[in-house]
Amino acid sequence: MSDTQLHDLISRHEVDLQAEWAKAITSAGSAREDLMKPEELRLQCSDLLRRLRQALKHGGTHDLTGPEWKEVREMLVGVSRTRASQGFTPSETANFVFSLKEPLFQRLRSELSAKPAQLAEETWSASTLIDKMGLLTMETFQQAREDVIRRQQEAMLELSTPVVKLWDGILALPLIGTLDSARTQVVMESLLQRVVAEGTVVVILDITGVPTVDTLVAQHLLKTVTAARLMGTDCIISGIRPQIAQTIVHLGVDLTSVITKASLADAFKIALARRNLMVVKRTAAVAAPVPAGV
Amino acid sequence: MPLTKCETLAIRAEADVVLVRQAVRKLAIEQGFGLVEQTKIVTAASEIARNTLDYGGGGEAVLECHTDGIRKGLRLVFSDQGPGIKDIGQAMRDGFTTGGGLGHGLGGAKRLVEEFDIVSAPGSGTRVTLVRWK
Amino acid sequence: MERIPILKMGDFLIVTIQVDMHDRLALALQDDLTTKISATNAKGVLIDISSLEIVDSFIGRMLSNISGMARILDAQTVLTGMQPAVAITLVELGLSLPGIRTALNVERGMSLLRASLAESDDATSEDDVDASHEM
């Protein structure tokens, strides 16, 4: 009947426990008052303690996956997720739960000092329960962190692959940074989707911002060009620096089937020509402004 | 790698290859694959299912949905009791074909999935396993 | 047996593939098209695959064959509407369908065919060719 024992103990000393718990968190250096107000921490302590007490009252087991532990689980998941995003460290987050051990064990000791066997049993049972709660917290914390990383990766991918419309029917993709397989995949997909959506005639892949072109990168570029061609769009690769031209030839990558230009401006000129457009200088004789390409 | 769903399809005629494609597409959507991922695994399945029919004289496809932690994936096993492949290395090479294709079947299918395994010996049939994770 | 319909429009033949083809259907299309090119003396063939969700090596080969056979019969082939996912997969598969002309949609494909027809009719009127290239 250890649950009743623990439940009674918590209900008798709830207010004290809660204060001592918050104090234990602070003294462990895990309160992070820069990130969380002391009142908020105390609120979390009292809330969790209340839920824990209710779970112990209804539940016969310490199986945290059971329905009677739903409230506690939700609370721990919530606390852990917020802390992960607020910038708490893993140990600070874990200490939030583990700090409950000290005040709880003290109470157990003073209540059961006359019955050492029962004390040992109760302490063990309470300890494993809190460990389980701590583990759940850590698992959620880890997941939340992974979510953050994944979101950042996605955001970075999107940021690093802006598809720009230069003119009606002309898209440019200024590539910046290293091209790996995952990124090329995203680049290719988002580019080709836009090609369909905009009815693009010419695409310019500008690699001015790509530091190095190795065989793999060159192959990725070629794949993109080929896929675009299969859909009926021409691709021009621009921004090829002299060193990159050298490496491409040394690597034996065949880019002869691809139109390549040194600068984005040159590529744009070709693209305009494909669209039967040209840029003309406005002369004084022309009274009304003439938009380029008309 | 827990198995969450499994179905077996017979490959006896050309129409069965189309059914395999459709079944793989359906499972890929259920597993939350993106459009490109769906297309890749369906295309790979189509290549191998055709091999099973044309070279293996028919056989079966076992389509399995798996979960591995948060990852979801598809595992497709194609097996036949046909004559088998003498030189797998040669068969995997692009451009190699004893049938009428462009010779991109095996090698191409391998590039479309994350895990590829082929077991075959003359006289004892062929078993090709394709795995792709979301 | 089930067949893919082939439409004739002026000098051109138009095919839109809308079903998941099994191999025999693809081969039948190849036969039908070559027969029809020579019967109608068509100058161009437009194949729209915008509803096709996959193109594997067999269908890819069929498309290459049609284009090659049409060329021998003096007709140009344009493949239109390939979906991005299909294009990406084909490239990964190692098929780039060299020698096949492509266009984003049927409209562009038709003007490409008309342009190449005008080109072969009158090789000197290059301006007209370029003009009809654009939509």
Side-chain angles (χ1 to χ4, degrees):
Chain A
M1 295 319 266
S2 67
D3 271 355
T4 335
Q5 188 67 256
L6 203 56
H7 168 257
D8 292 348
L9 183 92
I10 294 176
S11 23
R12 258 180 284 130
H13 305 285
E14 194 158 347
V15 181
D16 292 340
L17 269 173
Q18 165 191 319
E20 287 162 16
W21 183 12
K23 218 173 100 197
I25 294 171
T26 315
S27 61
S30 300
R32 289 300 293 269
E33 283 171 17
D34 53 327
L35 297 173
M36 187 181 280
K37 290 198 188 85
E39 305 90 77
E40 197 182 337
L41 179 65
R42 269 198 296 278
L43 227 76
Q44 283 181 351
C45 291
S46 73
D47 199 7
L48 186 56
L49 211 52
R50 184 178 51 79
R51 289 173 192 230
L52 178 63
R53 175 170 52 80
Q54 277 164 358
L56 287 168
K57 186 179 172 190
H58 299 302
T61 64
H62 286 178
D63 177 15
L64 284 193
T65 53
E68 63 275 14
W69 288 93
K70 184 165 166 281
E71 295 260 298
V72 172
R73 274 201 315 268
E74 280 174 0
M75 171 95 197
L76 285 174
V77 167
V79 163
S80 183
R81 282 197 175 271
T82 3
R83 281 171 193 242
S85 58
Q86 278 170 334
F88 277 78
T89 66
S91 31
E92 282 161 358
T93 309
N95 264 338
F96 167 67
V97 176
F98 291 138
S99 299
L100 177 58
K101 280 190 181 180
E102 192 190 328
L104 201 59
F105 291 178
Q106 254 167 21
R107 296 277 157 186
L108 281 173
R109 256 201 310 279
S110 58
E111 295 227 339
L112 298 170
S113 52
K115 307 170 195 159
Q118 203 186 344
L119 171 64
E121 195 189 313
E122 286 298 330
T123 311
W124 171 249
S125 147
S127 175
T128 48
L129 175 64
I130 292 175
D131 285 348
K132 279 183 194 164
M133 287 166 59
L135 279 176
L136 177 67
T137 316
M138 285 326 293
E139 263 171 37
T140 321
F141 187 86
Q142 192 65 29
Q143 262 173 24
R145 274 294 173 90
E146 275 165 14
D147 283 350
V148 170
I149 293 169
R150 210 176 45 242
R151 267 203 308 280
Q152 282 173 346
Q153 272 176 340
E154 281 166 12
M156 243 172 69
L157 274 175
E158 277 165 27
L159 275 179
S160 57
T161 54
V163 183
V164 191
K165 185 174 176 175
L166 290 183
W167 202 265
D168 199 22
I170 304 174
L171 285 185
L173 182 73
L175 291 167
I176 294 162
T178 317
L179 283 178
D180 56 26
S181 300
R183 212 182 137 204
T184 317
Q185 188 71 41
V186 176
V187 168
M188 239 205 245
E189 278 186 52
S190 59
L191 177 69
L192 299 184
Q193 300 291 359
R194 279 287 292 274
V195 162
V196 176
E198 309 246 349
T200 307
V201 180
V202 189
V203 170
I204 303 171
L205 291 175
D206 186 73
I207 57 166
T208 313
V210 178
T212 50
V213 173
D214 55 17
T215 320
L216 214 60
V217 172
Q219 272 170 2
H220 287 325
L221 287 172
L222 262 178
K223 278 182 189 170
T224 311
V225 173
T226 313
R229 197 197 67 81
L230 281 172
M231 291 172 56
T233 300
D234 282 333
C235 255
I236 304 172
I237 300 181
S238 74
I240 301 179
R241 280 173 279 123
Q243 314 88 285
I244 288 186
Q246 285 187 19
T247 4
I248 287 176
V249 172
H250 282 312
L251 290 171
V253 179
D254 184 16
L255 284 182
T256 44
S257 55
V258 186
I259 310 166
T260 49
K261 288 286 156 203
S263 72
L264 181 59
D266 290 342
F268 185 49
K269 224 189 277 176
I270 298 266
L272 284 174
R274 284 283 167 88
R275 301 279 289 117
N276 285 327
L277 301 168
M278 62 187 288
V279 180
V280 289
K281 188 170 183 174
R282 214 177 355 144
T283 55
V286 184
V290 181
V294 175
Chain B
M1 209 166 71
L3 177 70
T4 51
K5 195 172 176 179
C6 176
E7 47 185 280
T8 306
L9 296 171
I11 304 175
R12 298 266 162 244
E14 280 182 5
D16 294 336
V17 177
V18 176
L19 291 180
V20 168
R21 289 207 284 253
Q22 287 163 353
V24 173
R25 169 84 62 180
K26 201 176 122 246
L27 292 180
I29 293 171
E30 277 176 23
Q31 292 290 76
F33 280 35
L35 186 57
V36 174
E37 290 165 320
Q38 287 170 30
T39 312
K40 283 186 175 172
I41 186 83
V42 173
T43 308
S46 178
E47 299 292 343
I48 304 301
R50 178 177 298 109
N51 281 354
T52 302
L53 181 67
D54 291 353
Y55 302 114
E60 61 170 28
V62 180
L63 320 178
E64 302 169 350
C65 292
H66 287 269
T67 47
D68 176 19
I70 52 165
R71 287 203 307 173
K72 283 183 163 186
L74 278 183
R75 182 165 180 268
L76 315 176
V77 184
F78 297 85
S79 51
D80 64 58
Q81 301 302 317
I85 300 168
K86 204 162 41 177
D87 184 346
I88 291 177
Q90 189 186 33
M92 291 297 296
R93 225 171 295 137
D94 271 3
F96 180 81
T97 176
T98 55
L102 279 169
H104 284 281
L106 281 180
K110 186 180 180 196
R111 282 193 294 274
L112 294 176
V113 294
E114 276 144 4
E115 292 163 37
F116 181 96
D117 182 51
I118 179 163
V119 182
S120 182
S124 59
T126 305
R127 214 172 102 105
V128 179
T129 308
L130 308 174
V131 181
R132 190 167 174 98
W133 294 100
K134 187 192 170 305
Chain C
M1 184 190 154
E2 191 188 0
R3 294 268 180 192
I4 307 258
I6 302 169
L7 310 175
K8 183 174 178 296
M9 200 175 124
D11 282 327
F12 307 130
L13 297 179
I14 299 171
V15 179
T16 62
I17 303 174
Q18 289 175 338
V19 291
D20 195 354
M21 290 188 291
H22 54 80
D23 295 356
R24 215 155 351 116
L25 189 59
L27 289 176
L29 175 64
Q30 189 176 303
D31 283 349
D32 291 353
L33 255 178
T34 41
T35 314
K36 202 139 182 182
I37 291 170
S38 86
T40 60
N41 199 22
K43 292 289 164 234
V45 178
L46 185 142
I47 305 172
D48 183 64
I49 56 163
S50 53
S51 341
L52 269 197
E53 287 179 325
I54 74 151
V55 172
D56 61 10
S57 64
F58 190 87
I59 299 170
R61 179 175 68 111
M62 187 270 296
L63 293 170
S64 283
N65 285 352
I66 288 176
S67 165
M69 292 166 186
R71 200 175 303 120
I72 297 171
L73 296 166
D74 192 28
Q76 292 284 338
T77 308
V78 175
L79 187 66
T80 65
M82 188 185 289
Q83 294 298 319
V86 173
I88 292 171
T89 305
L90 261 186
V91 171
E92 211 65 53
L93 199 57
L95 287 179
S96 56
L97 306 183
I100 297 192
R101 305 177 79 180
T102 51
L104 215 51
N105 49 42
V106 174
E107 220 174 358
R108 291 253 175 83
M110 283 307 284
S111 57
L112 205 64
L113 281 181
R114 275 196 289 269
S116 67
L117 188 61
E119 204 171 349
S120 57
D121 278 355
D122 185 1
T124 51
S125 59
E126 241 185 71
D127 289 351
D128 293 347
V129 173
D130 280 4
S132 57
H133 184 283
E134 294 306 329
M135 289 312 302

